[in-house]
Amino acid sequence: MTADLFETIGDARPARETMAEGAVLLRGFARPVEAELVPALRVIIKQAPFRNLVTPGGHTMSVAMTNCGSVGWVSDRRGYRYDAIDPDSGQRWPAMPPVLGKLAADAANEAGFERFAPDACLINRYVPGAKLSLHQDKDELDFSAPIVSVSLGLPAVFLFGGLRRSDTPRRYRLEHGDVAVWGGPSRLFFHGIAPLADGEHGVLGRQRINLTFRKVR
Ligand code: MD3
Ligand code: FE
C-alpha cells in the first residue's frame, strides 16, 4: 500500500484539508524545515523579546507577541497598527529570515496563491491558559494577499467562524508543524484560539508559538 492510500484511508488527519473557500490546512508542512526554524526564532526573540501588549480598551493580552519583517503589528492604548519600529527598542524589527519567507511563500503556492511576498511576520506565544478572542485581521491594506500561519509547540484549538462575529465557529486542532493559508473569501473570517491546554512539547516545552505571515503594504 502507498503512503497516499494511508493518508486518504487510514489517517484521521489528512495532509491537506480545505476548511472553507480559500482556507487550506497543510498538516506537517513546516516539519522539513523545523531544524532551521527554531534557531531562527531564537535569534529574533533575543533581539525583539516577547511582550504582552495592551489593547486600546486597557486589557493586557494573555498572548505574548513580537515580530520580524519590515513592519510589525503593535497595540497600545492609542490603538492597533503596523509599525516599522519596535516600540520597546526604538529599532527596526529583526529582518525576516529567508527560511521563514520561503516557507510562507511555498505554503501559499501550495494553496493556489502565487508569488506571496510577506512583509510582516507576527509571532505569538501562548502559555497554558492563554487565548485569543474571536477577531478579524483587517489592519492590512491588501486583502487579495492571503495570511499564512505556522503552528509550533503545544497543540491548540483553532476557532474558525465566518464573516459575522455571530457565526458559530468550527474547531480545528492545530499541531506542531501545521501550516494554514487563509485567502480569498476566508481572509476576513472571524477566528481565534481557545485557552491553551497544559502540556509539554518535546522541542518547545510548555508553550505554543504561532507565526502569521502578512502582506501589509
Ligand atoms: C483566518 N493568530 O495573529 S493563526 C493572529 O494561532 C491570529 O496565533 C492565531 O489570529 C494564532 O491574528 C491564529 C490562524 C489564522 C491567522 C489569520 C487569519 C487564521 C486566520 C486571518 C483570516 C482568517
Ligand atoms: Fe488573527
Side-chain angles (χ1 to χ4, degrees):
M1 217 190 269
T2 65
D4 254 20
L5 280 173
F6 276 115
E7 277 168 13
T8 51
I9 301 168
D11 196 341
R13 298 181 80 240
R16 183 196 183 95
E17 183 177 354
T18 299
M19 297 176 283
E21 200 184 327
V24 183
L25 176 50
L26 304 168
R27 290 197 172 95
F29 192 83
R31 289 233 175 215
V33 294
E34 177 188 334
E36 299 159 73
L37 225 56
V38 175
L41 286 174
R42 291 196 202 285
V43 172
I44 292 164
I45 289 155
K46 200 168 269 184
Q47 217 179 307
F50 284 115
R51 76 289 306 262
N52 294 85
L53 296 170
V54 175
T55 65
H59 299 285
T60 299
M61 298 181 76
S62 60
V63 179
M65 298 179 169
T66 187
N67 295 274
C68 68
S70 57
V71 285
W73 189 87
V74 290
S75 173
D76 59 23
R77 289 306 301 249
R78 290 177 295 158
Y80 310 122
R81 66 190 174 279
Y82 282 98
D83 202 315
I85 300 297
D86 174 353
D88 279 13
S89 68
Q91 305 290 121
R92 278 189 283 275
W93 298 101
M96 192 183 299
V99 61
L100 292 190
K102 183 175 187 301
L103 173 63
D106 287 351
N109 203 51
E110 188 69 27
F113 298 93
E114 287 174 20
R115 283 176 283 277
F116 177 51
D119 51 11
C121 175
L122 172 61
I123 306 172
N124 295 332
R125 183 182 65 186
Y126 299 74
V127 293
K131 65 178 170 66
L132 195 59
S133 305
L134 276 186
H135 67 277
Q136 289 172 298
D137 289 18
K138 51 181 187 186
D139 299 332
E140 303 76 23
L141 286 178
D142 178 9
F143 297 140
S144 71
I147 289 181
V148 172
S149 80
V150 177
S151 292
L152 297 170
L154 289 176
V157 175
F158 173 69
L159 308 169
F160 193 32
L163 271 184
R164 290 169 305 187
R165 188 180 287 280
S166 57
D167 292 334
T168 303
R170 284 186 305 194
R171 301 162 82 87
Y172 292 88
R173 184 180 157 95
L174 296 181
E175 293 184 4
H176 181 75
D178 289 350
V179 179
V181 181
W182 321 85
S186 79
R187 175 65 181 75
L188 290 170
F189 280 13
F190 278 89
H191 58 277
I193 294 286
L196 194 77
D198 201 359
E200 179 78 24
H201 185 266
V203 178
L204 287 177
R206 212 176 165 199
Q207 62 179 336
R208 168 176 188 261
I209 290 182
N210 181 266
L211 317 176
T212 49
F213 296 89
R214 298 130 189 275
K215 176 98 185 90
V216 173
R217 295 178 167 167

